[in-house]
Amino acid sequence: MSFSTLILAAGMGTRMKSSRPKVIHTVCGKPLTMWVIDASKAAGADKVCAVVGHCADMVKETLGGACEYALQAEQKGTGHAVMQAMNFIKSADGEIVILNGDTPLVTAGAIKDAVEYHRTSGNKATVITAILPDATGYGRIVRGAEGGVKKIVEQKNATDEEKKINEVNSGMYVFDAQSLAYALTKLTPNNAQGEYYLTDTLEILLAAGENVGGYAIADNDEIRGINDRVQLYEAEKIMRRRINEKHMREGVTIRDIDSVCIEDGVTIGADTEIDGCVTIKSGTVIGEGCYIGGTTTVDNSEICDGAHILSSVILNSKIGKNTNVGPFAYVRPNCVVGDNVKVGDFVEVKNSTIGDGTKISHLTYIGDSDVGERVNFGCGTVTCNYDGKKKFRTTIGDDCFIGCNTNLVSPVSVGDGAYIAAGSTITDDIPDNALAIARERQVNKNTWKDKRGE
Ligand code: UD1
Ligand code: CA
């Protein structure tokens, strides 16, 4: 049997003090609601729908095709939000799991366990609860004599006695879909706030003689809702630890768990060491025995076995085996750097292929170029790939020696085994094995100072 998930994500998120809606702020690089969607899917949800409202278009654009959407044009409470997804609920197979778009730490395991508990208990509604040392702000779970859930009271509507209850409503539930649809039709805004409370559906189902239960979550962190930037930071810390510990258990050395941010969807081989202030963004695959250190960002790139990366930025590119990058290198999108290559300090490479064994040691810009194997670049080489209107490619064969301070004015090609004299500005193709010198001859004026009267 399957279930569907409904995620409430229409709220304002005023306390974020942001021009962007809260639910698309990110934890470890992924929007809050996307974490919830992914956890739902990993738990086995076959359909996911998000209720959007505040900045609905921006939220939909960010989440894209990850889920279906229902629109809550005006925010009139959690019950009202769920009502907007009536078609989704009525057409669901099995249960509806309700989650919040601002609780990114909820795991697939907890969702699965709650659904399992709901089924074996024969409930029509199960509220996921947590026992908190400080329950302030949350709806309190009022249990009946036999231990079943009787109702949920909001903080602002609670009596002093009820305020002492430390079992709280996480805001997450499992409902039998048709029972939920029925209860929603009975829901009224009978509170001072004039809001439709989703929590009232529990009493409606109890009155109809149905079973309602509570499932206490094992890890309280999973229900953490994010309301402001401080809570966003706390969630980031927890998520970072979860991700990093997972990699560590798989054989990756991480020197400082708090300074390394690895996004979801990253693969790292055993015996790779990550040291320093490193950000590894999703889509990245890192091989075995690599070193990534200093202040480094790697985004959506492949780093092959044994590569050494220090204080550099690598975007949408491939770095070959045992290749050395940095310190202070910038590998921009669409580069394929071969094995045993050196991309040294203050080197920028863009949209280029670099053959195996090539050394680009320092202060060099290689853009829109195809470079062969075992080429040696002297310090300060520049490919002049842009004439102000169009970009052109530079082609360099195998085993070339590019002298220091060479400018290669593209389109231009350098043959295999060619040499370029230092200080040359190359505008014409160079045949294989030739030496190109493209600079003024030096003149020494031996008596110049005398003539000047010095
Ligand atoms: C709700 C629960 C409370 C629980 C708490 C857990 C109710 C009446 N109360 O309270 O028992 O302890 O969550 O965090 O349900 N939302 C909409 N549309 C709306 C209103 C809210 O989409 O019209 C969304 C919000 O964006 C948020 C979620 O629903 O993701 C919860 O709303 P919020 O206003 O934070 O509920 P609480 O008052 O905290
Ligand atoms: Ca130069």
Side-chain angles (χ1 to χ4, degrees):
M1 207 161 79
S2 61
F3 67 90
S4 304
T5 302
L6 185 62
I7 300 172
L8 307 189
M12 291 273 292
T14 321
R15 281 172 282 169
M16 291 300 279
K17 306 223 166 111
S18 174
S19 60
R20 287 181 300 137
K22 172 172 78 176
V23 291
I24 62 168
H25 280 258
T26 59
V27 159
C28 293
K30 194 199 277 196
L32 301 183
T33 301
M34 196 64 98
W35 281 107
V36 184
I37 293 171
D38 288 349
S40 303
K41 288 181 180 170
D46 54 4
K47 276 164 84 192
V48 179
C49 176
V51 180
V52 294
H54 180 65
C55 298
D57 290 340
M58 217 192 282
V59 176
K60 281 159 91 169
E61 198 189 312
T62 304
L63 302 177
C67 63
E68 300 173 32
Y69 298 97
L71 182 69
Q72 185 192 27
E74 225 186 313
Q75 279 74 63
K76 294 195 272 187
T78 49
H80 182 258
V82 175
M83 284 174 184
Q84 311 313 305
M86 194 56 114
N87 291 338
F88 179 79
I89 294 164
K90 281 186 171 160
S91 69
D93 258 351
E95 295 84 358
I96 295 279
V97 172
I98 294 182
L99 303 171
N100 291 317
D102 64 353
T103 52
L105 297 171
V106 67
T107 62
I111 297 170
K112 250 193 211 162
D113 290 350
V115 172
E116 193 59 37
Y117 175 86
H118 174 87
R119 286 175 184 167
T120 53
S121 317
N123 292 341
K124 294 294 187 207
T126 301
V127 51
I128 301 176
T129 73
I131 318 270
L132 299 182
D134 178 10
T136 312
Y138 286 94
R140 309 296 208 285
I141 305 290
V142 181
R143 290 195 180 252
E146 306 84 45
V149 172
K150 228 172 85 186
K151 62 174 178 175
I152 296 173
V153 267
E154 293 308 299
Q155 167 91 19
K156 50 199 164 206
N157 310 114
T159 64
D160 285 346
E161 226 22 63
E162 287 166 340
K163 279 183 188 149
K164 288 184 191 148
I165 299 172
N166 63 355
E167 184 178 18
V168 304
N169 172 18
S170 69
M172 306 190 242
Y173 316 78
V174 186
F175 281 97
D176 167 67
Q178 302 323 315
S179 303
L180 175 61
Y182 160 79
L184 289 174
T185 61
K186 302 275 172 199
L187 209 55
T188 51
N190 63 352
N191 52 64
Q193 294 75 37
E195 287 187 4
Y196 293 85
Y197 285 175
L198 179 60
T199 45
D200 289 347
T201 58
L202 303 186
E203 283 169 88
I204 292 167
L205 291 176
L206 280 169
E210 306 290 8
N211 265 2
V212 174
Y215 173 77
I217 205 158
D219 177 3
N220 289 344
D221 280 342
E222 295 197 31
I223 72 153
R224 276 175 186 256
I226 287 159
N227 296 306
D228 58 27
R229 313 260 180 167
V230 176
Q231 291 172 336
L232 185 72
Y233 168 78
E234 287 163 354
E236 170 93 21
K237 283 273 190 192
I238 293 168
M239 191 65 87
R240 213 176 259 205
R241 257 175 191 273
R242 271 192 200 167
I243 295 172
N244 291 358
E245 283 177 5
K246 184 192 110 218
H247 289 292
M248 288 157 94
R249 294 212 168 83
E250 282 163 12
V252 178
T253 295
I254 295 178
R255 295 274 166 220
D256 180 0
I257 200 165
D258 291 318
S259 70
V260 171
C261 178
I262 304 173
E263 292 186 359
D264 201 30
V266 170
T267 308
I268 309 176
D271 289 323
T272 283
E273 179 181 340
I274 303 177
D275 174 28
C277 234
V278 173
T279 300
I280 303 172
K281 293 179 166 276
S282 66
T284 298
V285 177
I286 297 174
E288 295 183 357
C290 297
Y291 173 87
I292 318 243
T295 302
T296 288
T297 297
V298 182
D299 188 2
N300 190 37
S301 295
E302 182 182 355
I303 312 292
C304 297
D305 295 350
H308 188 283
I309 319 282
L310 181 61
S311 294
S312 294
V313 175
I314 298 170
L315 311 175
N316 303 320
S317 290
K318 177 177 175 178
I319 305 296
K321 282 184 197 159
N322 301 315
T323 282
N324 218 301
V325 177
F328 317 116
Y330 185 15
V331 180
R332 289 167 57 196
N334 210 16
C335 288
V336 178
V337 178
D339 300 342
N340 302 302
V341 169
K342 180 170 184 189
V343 178
D345 55 277
F346 307 104
V347 170
E348 176 176 333
V349 190
K350 185 211 85 174
N351 190 29
S352 295
T353 57
I354 310 292
D356 296 347
T358 285
K359 306 283 177 244
I360 316 165
S361 297
H362 15 234
L363 294 165
T364 289
Y365 172 61
I366 313 260
D368 303 310
S369 300
D370 300 294
V371 178
E373 300 181 1
R374 298 170 304 278
V375 173
N376 188 87
F377 284 89
C379 180
T381 301
V382 171
T383 55
C384 311
N385 57 329
Y386 185 49
D387 68 0
K389 279 188 181 153
K390 281 174 91 175
K391 302 258 167 79
F392 299 95
R393 290 195 82 81
T394 299
T395 306
I396 298 173
D398 296 336
D399 302 299
C400 295
F401 181 94
I402 316 292
C404 290
N405 202 27
T406 291
N407 300 310
L408 293 146
V409 181
S410 57
V412 74
S413 99
V414 180
D416 290 341
Y419 273 68
I420 297 173
S424 293
T425 293
I426 302 297
T427 54
D428 299 327
D429 292 353
I430 305 171
D432 291 355
N433 300 312
L435 165 67
I437 308 175
R439 63 179 186 225
E440 283 292 295
R441 247 175 212 292
Q442 180 171 332
V443 177
N444 289 339
K445 303 198 172 181
N446 299 339
T447 58
W448 179 79
K449 253 173 102 175
D450 294 341
K451 283 184 185 157
R452 226 176 164 223
E454 277 186 24

